[in-house]
Amino acid sequence: MQPFKSLLISSTLTPWLLLILSSLCFEAIALYYQYVLGFQPCVVCIQVRILLVVCLLVSLAGLCWRQHAAARIAALLTLLISYIALIERSWELLGTERGFIMGSCSFDLGLPNWLAVDQWLPFLFKVQTTCGYTPEIAFGFSMAEVLLALFVLFAAFILCLLLLDIKTAAHSLGKE
């Protein structure tokens, strides 16, 4: 029971390392599908990659400042917002794939000129195709379906961490 308990205490290394490693794994899998299996990324896929880099950076900051309650709560709140955005992007991808969301999927990331990540790191952030479908990952599930499910799980995990941190902080303030 002790390892599970440390997973839900955000002042420990475990949750931050899990969040960092998961972001790195998501990015590595995306690059594997692109460069090894030949599936070119669409604009929504690249937006997911950008959000995952944000999650990676925020998780690294959370790891560094995990002993400071305010910094932990700020990092967890930022991660929760990022994962909600990832859920929305995955839903958009799934809807486009299944045909229940009709929209324009262009090659424009929608970022300001001063944030030209597609020009700075084209191997990671360059849009190469229009939206349409995502490859099958396993057992008949598409990448969009798997990402949606995983992002919901991670958002729930982060919400639990955040609520426990807020409860602990409130309890600490009550003792003073």
Side-chain angles (χ1 to χ4, degrees):
M1 191 66 178
Q2 188 63 27
F4 181 73
K5 186 177 179 184
S6 72
L7 189 62
L8 291 176
I9 300 174
S10 65
S11 62
T12 65
L13 282 172
T14 309
W16 298 107
L17 291 176
L18 173 70
L19 292 165
I20 290 165
L21 289 173
S22 64
S23 294
L24 289 171
C25 285
F26 284 132
E27 293 289 2
I29 291 167
L31 292 173
Y32 174 79
Y33 269 83
Q34 179 179 350
Y35 290 107
V36 176
L37 300 180
F39 292 99
Q40 300 306 312
C42 68
V43 69
V44 178
C45 298
I46 298 300
Q47 290 166 344
V48 166
R49 289 183 189 184
I50 292 168
L51 284 164
L52 285 169
V53 169
V54 168
C55 290
L56 174 63
L57 295 174
V58 172
S59 296
L60 285 167
L63 175 68
C64 292
W65 296 313
R66 70 185 181 279
Q67 298 305 321
H68 305 283
R72 267 195 329 268
I73 290 171
L76 289 169
L77 189 56
T78 304
L79 281 169
L80 183 60
I81 292 166
S82 298
Y83 270 94
I84 289 169
L86 283 164
I87 291 167
E88 185 277 329
R89 292 286 74 204
S90 299
W91 181 255
E92 177 82 18
L93 200 55
L94 182 63
T96 302
E97 180 176 276
R98 296 287 173 86
F100 61 82
I101 295 178
M102 298 296 180
S104 63
C105 184
S106 68
F107 283 75
D108 180 29
L109 281 173
L111 297 174
N113 291 336
W114 56 266
L115 190 59
V117 293
D118 54 336
Q119 293 171 15
W120 302 335
L121 299 167
F123 74 95
L124 186 60
F125 298 123
K126 183 175 176 158
V127 178
Q128 297 181 4
T129 190
T130 58
C131 302
Y133 78 99
T134 58
E136 182 180 317
I137 297 289
F139 309 111
F141 293 106
S142 73
M143 186 177 284
E145 294 168 319
V146 171
L147 287 177
L148 182 61
L150 288 173
F151 293 156
V152 167
L153 288 174
F154 273 90
F157 172 66
I158 292 164
L159 182 61
C160 288
L161 289 171
L162 182 62
L163 291 175
L164 285 171
D165 251 10
I166 291 171
K167 179 181 175 186
T168 304
H171 183 70
S172 295
L173 288 175
K175 284 184 172 181
E176 294 178 4

